[in-house]
Amino acid sequence: MKKKRKPTHSITLDVIKAMRRGQREAEQELLGPGFHSFNRLHKSKKTYTRKTKHKGRGDTE
């Protein structure tokens, strides 16, 4: 009978966790704290909003 070999994993879970943690810290240094979406949908200019900052004119009468 042949002995079964255990699969050898070159990258352990601790290494993966450390890499993710490092990437997260680097991202927070660049973009600031909090969540930042990279796959945001394009919002049309024609989309109606009542907020004055989105109306596109300087006067607030």
Side-chain angles (χ1 to χ4, degrees):
M1 286 179 33
K2 293 183 178 179
K3 288 186 179 181
K4 291 185 179 179
R5 290 187 186 183
K6 289 184 181 180
T8 57
H9 297 291
S10 60
I11 299 177
T12 62
L13 294 177
D14 294 333
V15 174
I16 294 173
K17 285 182 183 179
M19 288 171 53
R20 286 182 182 171
R21 191 178 306 121
Q23 289 174 351
R24 176 71 177 152
E25 290 174 0
E27 179 182 327
Q28 285 183 346
E29 286 180 11
L30 289 175
L31 303 174
F35 176 75
H36 301 281
S37 176
F38 292 103
N39 299 333
R40 188 176 302 157
L41 293 176
H42 181 265
K43 195 171 187 179
S44 174
K45 288 183 180 180
K46 294 181 180 180
T47 303
Y48 177 75
T49 180
R50 294 181 181 176
K51 294 185 178 182
T52 56
K53 68 177 185 178
H54 296 289
K55 289 191 176 182
R57 51 187 162 157
D59 57 349
T60 54
E61 293 181 32

